[in-house]
Amino acid sequence: MDAKMKGMIMAGMMGLSLILGVMAVLGGSWLTSDEFMGDEKPDSAEVTYGLNALNIEDTDGDCTDEGTDQLEEIYTDMEAECDGDTLIATWALSGQCDFYGDMVDIYEENGIDGDDLKEITDAEDDACAAVTAGTMGTIGMWGGVVLALVATLMMVLPMAGVDAMDAIPEMGQKVISWGAGGLMLLGMVLWYFMLPDGDASMGTGLWIAGAAMSIALGSTLIGQFIPADE
C-alpha cells in the first residue's frame, strides 16, 4: 500500500479504538452474573458489573416510588428508577463496599460471630477488592483512550496540513502510539487479576475493551512493521 493509504488505515483504526475505548470504560456490562449478594437472582432480573458499578434490571421489580426509595435507603449509594415496568438500579461498587463494612460493624456490635460474621466479612473483602480492580481498570482504560486521541490527532492533522503535532519527537510519537493499546491492555490485566473469585461471565463491555486494545495495537504494528510503497 502507498504511504497515504497506510496513514488513512492507521488513523481510522486508532480513531475506532478511541471510540470503542470510551464505550467500554463507560459501559456497564463487563461481567454478567447469575447472583446478587450471594443469592441466585430471579429469572426476571439481569445483573451486570461495570468497572465501578453493579447494574440491575428487573422486569418484576417493585416499580413504585416507595419501592425505589426503599432500595436507595437500604443500599448505600444505590440509585433506582423505573423505565415502564422495569426496575433499573445502579449500585456503585464503593457503596457496596461501605454497605458490607457497616454490616460488619453491626454484627460485631451485636456480638454476632462465627460463620455469620465470617460470611459478611468475606463479602466486604470481595466488594472492596472489586472497587480496587475497577479503579485500576478505569485508570488504564482512560489512559489508553487519551493516548489514542493524541495518536489519532498525530495521524490526522498532517493530512489536513496542520503541523501542530510536529513538535513531538519521534520517540515520543512511538511511545504514544504503543501506549494507547498498551495502557488499555494493562488496565484490563490489572482489573482481571485484582477481581475477587466469583461465578461470572464476560459481558459486552469487556469484549469491546478487548477490541479497542487490539485495534490500537494493530494500528501501531502496521505503522512499525508494514512498509509503505514508494
Side-chain angles (χ1 to χ4, degrees):
M1 69 182 79
D2 59 30
K4 182 178 180 181
M5 178 61 69
K6 176 182 174 180
M8 291 176 64
I9 291 174
M10 290 173 57
M13 291 177 66
M14 194 63 75
L16 178 59
S17 172
L18 168 64
I19 294 171
L20 292 177
V22 172
M23 290 173 59
V25 76
L26 296 179
S29 180
W30 278 53
L31 293 173
T32 61
S33 177
D34 292 329
E35 295 183 349
F36 174 65
M37 299 184 69
D39 296 325
E40 186 175 352
K41 69 175 181 63
D43 293 337
S44 61
E46 179 180 355
V47 177
T48 60
Y49 288 82
L51 287 175
N52 301 294
L54 180 157
N55 305 285
I56 304 168
E57 294 188 13
D58 190 354
T59 57
D60 196 27
D62 185 0
C63 270
T64 63
D65 291 339
E66 293 80 5
T68 55
D69 289 345
Q70 186 177 35
L71 284 175
E72 292 178 348
E73 182 177 350
I74 293 174
Y75 300 111
T76 308
D77 291 340
M78 176 178 282
E79 297 180 359
E81 61 181 8
C82 285
D83 183 5
D85 294 330
T86 302
L87 174 66
I88 300 174
T90 302
W91 193 8
L93 295 181
S94 59
Q96 190 176 23
C97 175
D98 293 340
F99 172 82
Y100 281 120
D102 293 340
M103 291 293 294
V104 170
D105 292 340
I106 292 172
Y107 275 42
E108 292 175 342
E109 290 171 1
N110 289 274
I112 302 174
D113 54 14
D115 291 341
D116 290 336
L117 179 59
K118 184 180 184 304
E119 182 178 349
I120 203 70
T121 301
D122 289 345
E124 179 193 15
D125 292 341
D126 288 347
C128 295
V131 174
T132 303
T135 299
M136 292 297 100
T138 299
I139 292 172
M141 288 300 299
W142 274 124
V145 164
V146 170
L147 291 185
L149 173 60
V150 177
T152 301
L153 291 176
M154 289 192 313
M155 300 175 198
V156 172
L157 290 180
M159 298 179 187
V162 179
D163 58 0
M165 294 295 187
D166 291 349
I168 301 176
E170 183 178 354
M171 180 57 66
Q173 294 183 16
K174 289 183 179 180
V175 170
I176 291 170
S177 297
W178 283 109
L183 281 180
M184 292 182 191
L185 175 60
L186 178 62
M188 293 170 65
V189 169
L190 290 175
W191 169 80
Y192 176 79
F193 283 105
M194 289 183 176
L195 279 177
D197 294 334
D199 185 14
S201 56
M202 294 176 61
T204 55
L206 185 54
W207 286 108
I208 293 173
M213 174 270 296
S214 301
I215 293 171
L217 291 177
S219 174
T220 305
L221 285 170
I222 289 175
Q224 294 293 315
F225 299 108
I226 298 182
D229 296 334
E230 296 294 339

